[in-house]
Amino acid sequence: MCKDAFLSIVFITILAIVCFSSEAQKVNEPKATNSDWSKPYQPFRIAGNLYYVGTYDLACYLITTAQGNILINTGLAASVSQIKNNIESLGFKFSDIKILLTTQVHYDHVGAVAAIKKMTDARLMVDEGDAAVLADGGSSDYAMGGKGSLFDPVRADRLLHDQDTIQLGDMQIIMLHHPGHTKGSCSFLFDVNDELKTYKVLIANMPTIITNRKFSDIPAYPDIAKDYAYTFNAMKKLSFDIWLSSHASQFGLHAKHKPGDAYNPAAFVDKEGYDRSVSDLEEQFLKKMKNP
């Protein structure tokens, strides 16, 4: 064996060991401070082929097509069985999940993504800004990182960029890059149809501020203030009929829908609520910017 070939084998072996050690490290998911994050909630049809399959507060969405289904967000690591049961109770097969998406890579939204990807062999797609944090299990997150893996590390099959289209069957979903909360926070815009009409749906990742530090004291995210400003400007320009978000509490799910309620997409037509929420969050941002 020539020297170069031997060195190549050694390098590949070392790389494999490093990758294995990184992915096999112990996961220390933070203790959920909100019991509503794991509290069960009855799944239901929101509009057309869009369904709510998450917990009481951690919103997970199923979009069905004739060629398979799309799951957006997965909740905590322990939420796998809840999500699976919710999907199956609606009459769909868990194994029919073909694409996994997420609005952000915090542990309360991707805690179960590695397990669900393994169980379904679905393609995982993520905003490129969050890809590194997803791959290291949250350890490099600017706000929550530095404590090892917070969720099972997993690598994305496709990196998404602003205005990219995710397509499955007759569904086309546009990803909107809305950074700040995380480097790759994003929202999704798409149409769904029922027997009466077409609804343009926005699943918004609301740009809440989760750090108490000054923006200027976050070297791991030097563009954080600029990203928040961009996101607020972009979100105020969006047009849609129905809006939802990463947390049920953010879009007032429990005031708009009670378990057992009849199908009623109109309950989620709430542009005023969206505008008010974005405005309130922007006010918090501008207040923080006075002492960035």
Side-chain angles (χ1 to χ4, degrees):
M1 180 183 296
C2 69
K3 181 179 179 182
D4 288 345
F6 174 77
L7 291 175
S8 295
I9 292 172
V10 171
F11 175 76
I12 292 171
T13 302
I14 293 174
L15 182 61
I17 293 172
V18 170
C19 290
F20 176 80
S21 298
S22 174
E23 294 180 0
Q25 63 183 300
K26 180 177 174 58
V27 172
N28 294 303
E29 182 180 83
K31 184 177 181 180
T33 56
N34 188 337
S35 61
D36 287 346
W37 286 5
S38 56
K39 184 178 175 181
Y41 192 73
Q42 183 178 327
F44 67 97
R45 183 188 182 198
I46 299 172
N49 57 317
L50 171 65
Y51 300 82
Y52 187 93
V53 296
T55 66
Y56 190 86
D57 187 58
L58 296 182
C60 304
Y61 302 98
L62 186 74
I63 300 172
T64 62
T65 82
Q67 277 69 49
N69 304 328
I70 299 166
L71 180 64
I72 301 176
N73 292 343
T74 68
L76 300 168
S79 298
V80 175
S81 60
Q82 286 188 50
I83 294 172
K84 184 175 185 292
N85 291 338
N86 283 348
I87 289 172
E88 292 177 345
S89 71
L90 290 169
F92 303 109
K93 293 181 179 180
F94 190 69
S95 59
D96 281 344
I97 297 173
K98 302 301 180 186
I99 293 176
L100 290 168
L101 301 173
T102 185
T103 52
Q104 51 164 289
V105 295
H106 283 153
Y107 72 95
D108 51 329
H109 302 288
V110 296
V113 74
I116 293 177
K117 177 174 170 55
K118 185 175 181 179
M119 294 167 71
T120 63
D121 199 31
R123 292 190 69 208
L124 174 59
M125 304 180 187
V126 65
D127 184 303
E128 185 175 25
D130 270 352
V133 175
L134 184 68
D136 64 29
S139 64
S140 64
D141 181 84
Y142 77 90
M144 299 182 181
K147 304 170 186 176
S149 292
L150 307 179
F151 53 86
D152 281 328
V154 58
R155 297 186 183 279
D157 299 300
R158 177 185 172 190
L159 301 183
L160 300 171
H161 307 89
D162 190 41
Q163 301 292 325
D164 273 356
T165 297
I166 300 105
Q167 184 159 354
L168 183 66
D170 57 358
M171 281 300 302
Q172 291 191 356
I173 301 173
I174 298 174
M175 192 216 78
L176 305 173
H177 180 58
H178 289 159
H181 187 77
T182 68
K183 293 181 181 181
S185 289
C186 61
S187 304
F188 299 101
L189 193 64
F190 53 92
D191 292 338
V192 296
N193 308 290
D194 65 12
E195 297 77 12
L196 298 177
K197 62 181 297 183
T198 296
Y199 299 91
K200 184 170 288 295
V201 178
L202 173 69
I203 297 179
N205 191 77
M206 305 307 288
T208 55
I209 297 171
I210 60 171
T211 179
N212 292 321
R213 289 183 292 169
K214 294 181 180 180
F215 287 153
S216 56
D217 290 339
I218 307 176
Y221 194 176
D223 292 330
I224 185 170
K226 183 173 72 173
D227 279 357
Y228 267 115
Y230 164 83
T231 293
F232 283 114
N233 184 56
M235 293 188 80
K236 288 187 290 185
K237 296 177 180 178
L238 296 176
S239 298
F240 51 85
D241 300 309
I242 288 172
W243 82 283
L244 310 162
S245 58
S246 303
H247 288 265
S249 53
Q250 291 175 332
F251 67 97
L253 168 63
H254 305 296
K256 296 173 180 176
H257 175 87
K258 306 295 183 186
D261 280 356
Y263 174 68
N264 183 23
F268 302 98
V269 176
D270 181 24
K271 184 64 161 60
E272 288 185 3
Y274 171 85
D275 290 342
R276 184 169 56 251
S277 182
V278 172
S279 179
D280 289 346
L281 291 173
E282 185 176 33
E283 186 176 332
Q284 295 173 31
F285 167 71
L286 294 174
K287 183 178 180 180
K288 190 175 182 67
M289 284 301 293
K290 292 179 179 179
N291 188 24

